[in-house]
């Protein structure tokens, strides 16, 4: 069973000063308001209502955090989360790209997103959700370029590939990889950017995305085994 299935709501914040005072790794999910971000999070966590998709896309201006570990599986359990046992956090960033949002709200939103992805030390990686039919919009590129200087991994998930035929899917994946490969650091080295195809409807790419996210968060490491090894090393 995927460890992402343990996800449950932890907290929501609207200002950087209110960010969780945890030190565990975090992975952030970002994307346009209509790219299928909430759907992707819900299907990866095997929970229909974990990430809330607003009826008015673009209205949510908070960062919602979900914890992995520290509680029983499933968000409907009422027992308290043991913060000391949380292994990592998933951060659902506000969707971007809708003109209906007011200017002041949009500025606050941009500052919150930019400051979080650039300055949050605990942030281990970014998952960038894009519609496979319209990848790399100006706002997607802005998010990519905000985060790239950190040198941390970005995993791009191209959603709704069920809307494309096989040739179109192959082409969009190749073009997306070429786009990511065009980003290099000052020494000409490529950034740790990866990309995959995904469809919630056809259940395409779920295992690939799960494995990548668990890898980026260190969830594929046997904590109990490491603890036992540490004890053995201490005794020797």
């Amino acid at each position: 069973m995927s460890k992402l299935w343990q996800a449950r709501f932890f907290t929501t914040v609207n200002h950087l000063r209110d960010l969780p005072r945890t030190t565990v790794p975090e992975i952030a999910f970002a994307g346009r308001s209509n790219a299928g971000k909430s759907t992707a999070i819900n299907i990866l966590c095997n929970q229909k209502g974990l990430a809330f998709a607003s009826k008015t896309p673009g209205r949510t201006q908070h960062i919602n955090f979900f914890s992995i570990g520290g509680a029983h599986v499933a968000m409907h359990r009422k027992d308290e989360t043991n913060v000391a046992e949380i292994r990592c956090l998933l951060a659902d960033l506000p969707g971007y790209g809708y003109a209906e949002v007011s200017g002041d709200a949009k500025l606050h939103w941009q500052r919150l997103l930019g400051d979080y992805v650039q300055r949050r030390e605990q942030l281990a990686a970014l998952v960038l959700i894009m519609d496979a039919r319209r990848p790399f919009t100006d706002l997607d590129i802005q998010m990519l370029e905000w985060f790239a200087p950190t040198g941390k991994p970005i995993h791009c998930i191209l959603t709704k590939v069920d809307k494309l035929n096989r040739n179109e899917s192959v082409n969009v994946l190749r073009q997306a990889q070429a786009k990511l490969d065009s980003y290099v650091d000052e020494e000409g080295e490529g950034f740790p950017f990866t990309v995959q195809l995904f469809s919630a409807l056809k259940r395409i790419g779920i295992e690939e995305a799960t494995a990548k996210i668990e890898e980026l968060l260190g969830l594929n490491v046997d904590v109990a085994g490491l603890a036992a090894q540490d004890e053995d090393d201490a005794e020797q």
Side-chain angles (χ1 to χ4, degrees):
M1 183 181 71
S2 167
K3 292 181 176 64
L4 298 182
W5 291 14
Q6 299 177 22
R8 55 156 50 185
F9 177 76
F10 183 63
T11 190
T12 185
V13 304
N14 194 29
H15 298 281
L16 292 180
R17 63 176 179 269
D18 298 323
L19 288 172
R21 299 183 184 279
T22 51
T23 57
V24 296
E26 297 171 8
I27 196 165
F29 292 78
R32 289 179 62 89
S33 297
N34 57 351
K37 177 167 59 69
S38 296
T39 300
I41 292 172
N42 287 338
I43 199 167
L44 290 170
C45 296
N46 196 38
Q47 298 179 48
K48 291 183 178 179
L50 182 66
F52 178 71
S54 173
K55 292 181 180 179
T56 307
R59 290 295 187 188
T60 303
Q61 296 159 34
H62 300 75
I63 300 175
N64 292 315
F65 287 90
F66 309 109
S67 59
I68 304 290
H72 290 290
V73 177
M75 61 180 292
H76 65 271
R77 295 293 291 262
K78 301 301 182 183
D79 54 311
E80 293 185 7
T81 300
N82 185 340
V83 177
E85 294 180 0
I86 292 175
R87 291 190 62 182
C88 59
L89 294 174
L90 311 179
D92 183 11
L93 304 184
Y96 49 79
Y98 266 78
E100 289 86 347
V101 180
S102 70
D104 289 344
K106 194 174 294 185
L107 287 174
H108 169 73
W109 193 346
Q110 290 174 338
R111 284 196 297 268
L112 179 66
L113 285 176
D115 288 347
Y116 174 75
V117 300
Q118 291 173 326
R119 301 181 185 179
R120 182 72 165 168
E121 291 184 8
Q122 297 92 319
L123 187 55
L126 178 72
V127 175
L128 185 57
I129 309 289
M130 295 180 286
D131 189 326
R133 299 166 298 176
R134 295 177 292 276
F136 298 106
T137 66
D138 289 345
L139 291 172
D140 294 324
I141 291 173
Q142 182 181 54
M143 178 62 71
L144 191 70
E145 294 182 351
W146 270 341
F147 194 68
T150 68
K152 298 174 184 177
I154 294 178
H155 185 59
C156 297
I157 293 180
L158 303 179
T159 62
K160 307 181 184 182
V161 295
D162 50 280
K163 307 293 186 183
L164 304 178
N165 63 37
R166 183 174 180 82
N167 286 338
E168 290 170 336
S169 297
V170 170
N171 287 336
V172 75
L173 182 62
R174 183 176 65 247
Q175 291 166 7
Q177 188 63 64
K179 178 71 173 178
L180 296 174
D181 290 345
S182 70
Y183 286 90
V184 295
D185 61 21
E186 294 178 352
E187 298 178 354
E189 295 292 326
F191 289 101
F193 296 166
T194 51
V195 62
Q196 68 160 99
L197 302 175
F198 189 91
S199 168
L201 182 64
K202 298 293 186 180
R203 302 190 67 82
I204 296 169
I206 295 174
E207 292 183 0
E208 181 181 355
T210 296
K212 187 63 179 180
I213 291 167
E214 289 186 346
E215 174 194 337
L216 292 170
L217 286 169
L219 290 174
N220 55 350
V221 176
D222 182 358
V223 175
L226 287 177
Q229 183 64 49
D230 289 343
E231 290 179 5
D232 291 342
D233 291 344
E235 291 174 358
Q236 294 178 357

